[in-house]
Amino acid sequence: MQTHLRGRDLITLQEWTKDEVDTLLDVAFQLKRERALGVAHPLLRDKVLAMLFFFSSTRTRASFEAGMAQLGGHAQFIESRTTQIAHGDTAKEIGEILGRYNDGIAIRHCDWGLGNQYLRDVAEASRVPVLNMQCDVYHPHQALADVMTIIERFGDPRGRTATISWAHDPSYLKPISVAQSLLLLLPRFGMNVRLVHPPEFQLMGDIVEQARENARAAHAGFELMDDFDAGFVRTDVVYAKSWGAMMTTSDETEDTRLINKYASWMTDERHMMTANEDAIFMHPLPADRNVEVTDAVIDGPHSIVYDQAENRLHSQKAVMALTMG
Ligand code: CP
């Protein structure tokens, strides 16, 4: 167990050691158990988290805000477009100023090519931890909740197979950050990972290489595939969601055309029947029902999407308690 995490930024879990990630999970399970028992844990009494959003959110906003209240503190909701950020407040100014008002700064900024750099610039100027609520490259708090949920279901997931697959959804161009954070994290827990996508929907090359290296170091399997149906066969975890073709085109019309080229990439019961009997279906939500995944699967016996969403709360509380305490 690591006990020196106070003050640490969490922009990507790739910058945290496996021991440190294990500590986050250990505390997350403790806080979940205590909440179930009605045991109060005001570990951040009088502390304040700034939550700065450049992009919409349901789960992330609600779970960080509820988590801070349950830890005895407060979370302030700030939107870029209703503040002077829209009129020129720089990342340095935000880091300096919000860092003096608050005990942590959480940011969601998903704009392609901008988000991660913005978080890095705020962190550089901030005296308090910066927590990544999703950027264009990473969604570490989603991946942390996901691995917690997998461990809850399977125990030690070493040797299990996880399929991270692209899925069809033209509703809006979703960031690649969920898939990338998951791809980096799961092999560190010894899981064999299959990354499945059409050729136009690549992830960032350096992220894929880091993930491959994580798998090699953990003696885990690492496979790249472009056959949606084959990705399901005898897998333990199905994580099928849409992302945009950012690595192929910057033209949104072309991106939508490419997405629609693969309209058959929707998870249905026929796919789940080819997975292992105790396989789980995961999705970070929001999902486009009957476009990305059928109602029968997302509401069916394999789906654990609500446990996944719940674990955002417990795992983020662990991050905040350990970094902001
Ligand atoms: N999974 C997730 O990050 O959900 P929100 O976009 O609603 O925050």
Side-chain angles (χ1 to χ4, degrees):
M1 176 144 199
Q2 299 296 319
T3 53
H4 59 281
L5 300 173
R6 203 158 289 142
R8 284 283 292 278
D9 297 326
L10 177 39
I11 294 177
T12 167
L13 288 166
Q14 190 68 11
E15 293 167 352
W16 287 49
T17 67
K18 175 67 165 47
D19 267 359
E20 290 167 346
V21 178
D22 286 342
T23 299
L24 292 176
L25 291 170
D26 205 31
V27 173
F29 281 116
Q30 178 186 333
L31 294 175
K32 184 168 185 174
R33 200 172 300 116
E34 287 179 3
R35 182 162 165 76
L37 292 168
V39 176
H41 36 232
L43 302 166
L44 295 180
R45 203 193 314 260
D46 300 332
K47 305 265 180 178
V48 184
L49 175 73
M51 302 188 304
L52 171 56
F53 284 90
F54 288 75
F55 192 74
S56 56
S57 166
T58 304
R59 282 143 291 270
T60 303
R61 176 183 174 183
S63 54
F64 268 101
E65 192 165 332
M68 271 307 284
Q70 290 165 20
L71 291 168
H74 172 71
Q76 51 171 304
F77 174 66
I78 307 169
E79 268 189 307
S80 62
R81 66 189 172 84
T82 54
T83 58
Q84 301 292 27
I85 292 170
H87 298 146
D89 279 336
T90 65
K92 180 174 190 297
E93 288 160 356
I94 291 299
E96 279 282 0
I97 295 164
L98 293 189
R100 294 179 189 216
Y101 298 158
N102 295 281
D103 302 284
I105 305 173
I107 303 173
R108 169 170 281 196
H109 191 332
C110 301
D111 288 359
W112 180 242
L114 298 177
N116 187 260
Q117 190 57 54
Y118 185 87
L119 265 81
R120 300 279 181 198
D121 291 345
V122 172
E124 176 75 23
S126 169
R127 60 179 66 179
V128 299
V130 168
L131 307 180
N132 185 355
M133 296 195 294
Q134 189 176 17
C135 68
D136 50 336
V137 184
Y138 305 111
H139 197 352
H141 293 91
Q142 181 67 56
L144 187 65
D146 293 342
V147 84
M148 179 178 179
T149 312
I150 290 170
I151 290 169
E152 257 175 357
R153 182 53 66 116
F154 291 130
D156 182 352
R158 182 168 297 279
R160 294 273 184 174
T161 298
T163 299
I164 302 169
S165 179
W166 184 87
H168 169 251
D169 181 9
S171 62
Y172 68 97
L173 305 183
K174 297 179 180 172
I176 58 179
S177 45
V178 169
Q180 295 201 146
S181 280
L182 206 57
L183 187 73
L184 287 167
L185 190 60
L186 296 187
R188 298 174 73 191
F189 286 81
M191 295 192 75
N192 305 314
V193 171
R194 296 176 186 163
L195 174 64
V196 189
H197 59 75
E200 298 93 337
F201 292 87
Q202 306 281 336
L203 300 182
M204 293 167 72
D206 59 329
I207 298 283
V208 174
E209 281 319 302
Q210 286 171 40
R212 192 193 299 279
E213 178 53 28
N214 288 350
R216 194 201 56 73
H219 307 290
F222 192 83
E223 235 181 317
L224 302 183
M225 302 169 69
D226 61 6
D227 182 335
F228 187 61
D229 293 350
F232 288 83
V233 177
R234 288 191 295 281
T235 195
D236 297 299
V237 176
V238 173
Y239 203 115
K241 76 169 297 294
S242 176
W243 62 80
M246 288 82 170
M247 301 300 296
T248 299
T249 179
S250 53
D251 182 295
E252 287 200 12
T253 309
E254 173 62 3
D255 202 328
T256 305
R257 189 191 70 78
L258 290 172
I259 290 172
N260 283 327
K261 195 172 149 188
Y262 299 100
S264 64
W265 287 50
M266 175 177 71
T267 305
D268 61 20
E269 286 171 294
R270 182 181 56 90
H271 291 110
M272 293 306 299
M273 281 176 68
T274 68
N276 285 336
E277 203 175 332
D278 63 348
I280 53 178
F281 174 82
M282 301 182 77
H283 194 294
L285 305 178
D288 205 347
R289 285 168 172 260
N290 303 308
V291 177
E292 269 184 294
V293 52
T294 60
D295 283 337
V297 170
I298 201 165
D299 295 329
H302 297 283
S303 176
I304 57 166
V305 296
Y306 297 125
D307 291 340
Q308 219 184 320
E310 178 184 339
N311 285 335
R312 293 290 304 276
L313 173 73
H314 309 299
S315 54
Q316 288 160 196
K317 283 168 70 179
V319 172
M320 293 188 287
L322 287 161
T323 62
M324 293 169 57

